[in-house]
Amino acid sequence: MTKAYVLVVDDEPDIRELVREILEDEGYEVTTAESAGAARRVLQERPPQLVLLDIWMPGEDGISLLKEWAQAGACPFPVVMISGHGTVETAVEATRHGAIDFVEKPLSMGKLLATVEQALKAPAAEPAAAPVSVIEPVGRSAVMRGLREQAERLAATDSWVLITGEPGSGRKCLGRYIHGLSGRRAGPLVEVAAGTLAGESAAVELFGQERDGQIVPGRLEAAAGGTLILDGAADLDAGAQTRLASAIEAGRFQRVGGAAQIPLDVRMIAVTRYDLAAEARAGRFRQDLAYALSVIPLAVPPLREHAEDIPELVAFHVDRLVETEQLGYRRFTVAAQNRLRNHHWQGNVQELHNLVQRLLVLGDGVDIEVGEVEEAIAQRPPDRLGGDWPQALDLPLREAREHFERAYLQKQLQRAEGSVAQLARLAGMERTHLYRKLRALGIDPRDAGETGGGRP
């Protein structure tokens, strides 16, 4: 008895015939197509119950064909993608447009049959409401290869992850990468900045609220079935820490003002520049919450520890800026790239991105020579706070504001000779709020005599 009617779309004749033979031996009815156009002709004659679709084909690729099928809403049949060299971004895009699984080349008979059987049981996936920006960490150095391998192993589990590293090193990018590889990739990815949460508003933001019969879901509820990235985890308000620790221990939570028990169904990826265990020992963070968030620690290296990746990173950022912001293409000469490799990148990959963007926007000519790079690195117009304001002007408003606040408080802290009480008077801030702000900005009062002003 025939099990189901399957369409196999692949430009490689050997692959098409191999899949046909495997499926027909198991009782499936199979039709093949060598291109997007051939697949359309088959669909006009008879819609299949399942499509196995190659991503990379001459002419029109499989993702474009999948988008076409999904234009009217949910894809009318389950689609399993076939790929020998796909990326995480490709996988996420295919899932967003309705693909429900992937089969990798070279094909495994057992994996293929199990995937087909499972796909026929499942309803066709609906496109996600919003795309998730997932970028594979760039670099061929041993340290970056090791980081990707660790991330890929972690993605295969549902364990909670603590990502540490210096600001600008790509911590959130790594968190998105793990989500994009994980079994939760079809679920939502929600990001929340812990430093912005304080008092009762923190509870509402995280857990939601019920008032006058109206329900406002919080971030934990919005991330159900997916991943929540808690950015700046060490800066979480003490009250929010207590509520979150209780929710984790119970495995459920209540909305503010509500009585319903809501299951805690998220994968938490905490991101911070600090050592949470050290913060807990110093009494600045709940120990039980630090343990809960630190199930699997993952450290992102600073750019200076993999400077050999800078040419590849430069090429990546140039291509991305040209594509996403329609900037004119420019090429860094070898001498210019070598100068970048020997620069001390205090702001890490984010600082490199900002410099590349500035050179594409402000420079002339196709080639970027070493002299132009020197000028961009040395650019320091006079200002009373001594901050790198050209770089700050390249940042989003919130980050630019943090840049100013950090420079301002560092300057006032020097005037106060490291005294937080005196700093509170100079800045006109309540001391408890000031301590929270200093920690959120990475300023240690003990470093008052230094210009760096932050902890690693």
Side-chain angles (χ1 to χ4, degrees):
M1 180 178 177
T2 302
K3 292 182 178 179
Y5 174 50
V6 180
L7 170 61
V8 179
V9 186
D10 197 300
D11 65 300
E12 296 182 59
D14 292 344
I15 295 292
R16 291 199 304 273
E17 292 310 309
L18 174 63
V19 174
R20 180 202 287 273
E21 290 174 8
I22 292 173
L23 296 181
E24 286 183 343
D25 285 346
E26 293 298 313
Y28 294 98
E29 182 182 359
V30 182
T31 295
T32 63
E34 71 279 6
S35 65
R40 291 189 186 95
R41 290 192 292 272
V42 171
L43 291 175
Q44 288 176 352
E45 296 173 5
R46 180 184 173 190
Q49 292 166 273
L50 171 68
V51 175
L52 299 178
L53 177 60
D54 189 22
I55 293 179
W56 306 110
M57 298 186 292
E60 192 169 2
D61 63 275
I63 299 291
S64 298
L65 188 57
L66 179 63
K67 290 179 184 178
E68 178 184 307
W69 291 338
Q71 277 180 351
C75 194
F77 33 72
V79 177
V80 173
M81 307 305 292
I82 304 174
S83 177
H85 44 86
T87 64
V88 174
E89 287 185 278
T90 305
V92 170
E93 184 176 8
T95 302
R96 179 157 48 92
H97 290 290
I100 64 173
D101 210 341
F102 282 79
V103 178
E104 295 180 346
K105 299 177 184 178
L107 297 174
S108 159
M109 182 184 298
K111 167 70 173 174
L112 175 65
L113 292 174
T115 302
V116 167
E117 184 177 350
Q118 199 65 29
L120 286 165
K121 290 178 182 177
E126 294 187 7
V132 175
S133 176
V134 178
I135 302 173
E136 181 175 298
V138 175
R140 301 178 188 178
S141 63
V143 67
M144 291 307 293
R145 289 200 307 270
L147 184 65
R148 283 194 298 271
E149 289 170 3
Q150 290 182 70
E152 288 160 10
R153 286 197 296 270
L154 289 177
T157 75
D158 209 30
S159 300
W160 288 18
V161 183
L162 174 67
I163 300 177
T164 57
E166 295 181 5
S169 57
R171 297 165 302 180
K172 282 196 295 182
C173 176
L174 185 64
R176 298 183 191 116
Y177 180 65
I178 292 172
H179 170 79
L181 286 175
S182 74
R184 290 177 173 265
R185 61 182 177 269
L189 175 61
V190 176
E191 299 181 18
V192 58
T196 65
L197 307 178
E200 189 65 16
S201 65
V204 173
E205 182 81 9
L206 283 174
F207 304 107
Q209 185 177 43
E210 292 184 26
R211 176 186 290 179
D212 301 328
Q214 292 189 331
I215 294 176
V216 179
R219 297 299 185 94
L220 289 173
E221 198 170 346
T227 302
L228 187 138
I229 294 180
L230 185 63
D231 186 22
D235 303 322
L236 195 61
D237 177 82
Q241 288 183 37
T242 300
R243 285 178 179 262
L244 183 57
S246 298
I248 292 170
E249 183 178 3
R252 58 186 183 275
F253 60 92
Q254 292 174 288
R255 303 184 191 98
V256 175
Q261 296 288 330
I262 303 168
L264 184 64
D265 178 22
V266 300
R267 182 192 200 161
M268 188 84 73
I269 298 180
V271 174
T272 180
R273 73 182 76 180
Y274 301 125
D275 180 340
L276 283 191
E279 292 292 296
R281 289 193 297 270
R284 293 189 290 264
F285 201 82
R286 285 184 64 101
Q287 193 169 60
D288 54 350
L289 184 56
Y291 286 144
L293 297 177
S294 308
V295 175
I296 306 289
L298 195 58
V300 181
L303 183 54
R304 58 185 170 274
E305 292 184 7
H306 59 109
E308 63 267 41
D309 291 324
I310 285 177
E312 188 176 354
L313 281 162
V314 167
F316 170 81
H317 287 296
V318 168
D319 290 345
R320 192 165 181 83
L321 287 164
V322 169
E323 179 183 351
T324 61
E325 300 190 19
Q326 289 75 52
L327 298 181
Y329 176 78
R330 303 190 71 202
R331 179 177 56 240
F332 285 75
T333 64
V334 172
Q337 293 179 53
N338 190 55
R339 176 63 183 89
L340 295 176
R341 284 189 59 168
N342 289 282
H343 179 62
H344 183 83
W345 296 98
Q346 185 174 352
N348 295 294
V349 178
Q350 182 63 56
E351 183 185 355
L352 176 64
H353 168 87
N354 292 344
L355 184 137
V356 171
Q357 184 178 34
R358 198 154 63 242
L359 289 169
L360 293 186
V361 171
L362 300 177
D364 295 318
V366 174
D367 286 339
I368 299 175
E369 302 287 354
V370 65
E372 190 176 352
V373 170
E374 289 281 9
E375 288 179 11
I377 288 175
Q379 192 175 15
R380 291 291 188 277
D383 66 77
R384 289 182 296 172
L385 295 175
D388 183 4
W389 299 117
Q391 177 176 328
L393 293 174
D394 289 337
L395 299 174
L397 177 60
R398 182 178 62 82
E399 294 181 30
R401 184 172 61 244
E402 289 180 359
H403 188 101
F404 170 79
E405 290 176 342
R406 185 179 294 107
Y408 172 81
L409 291 174
Q410 285 170 348
K411 194 72 174 180
Q412 297 293 3
L413 193 56
Q414 290 176 23
R415 289 179 59 195
E417 298 181 343
S419 167
V420 176
Q422 177 65 12
L423 174 62
R425 286 192 289 273
L426 290 172
M429 297 175 67
E430 192 272 325
R431 199 183 303 185
T432 302
H433 176 63
L434 178 59
Y435 270 115
R436 226 172 17 240
K437 175 63 71 174
L438 291 173
R439 189 167 64 180
L441 295 172
I443 299 174
D444 190 334
R446 292 169 294 185
D447 297 335
E450 301 176 9
T451 58
R455 290 185 290 180

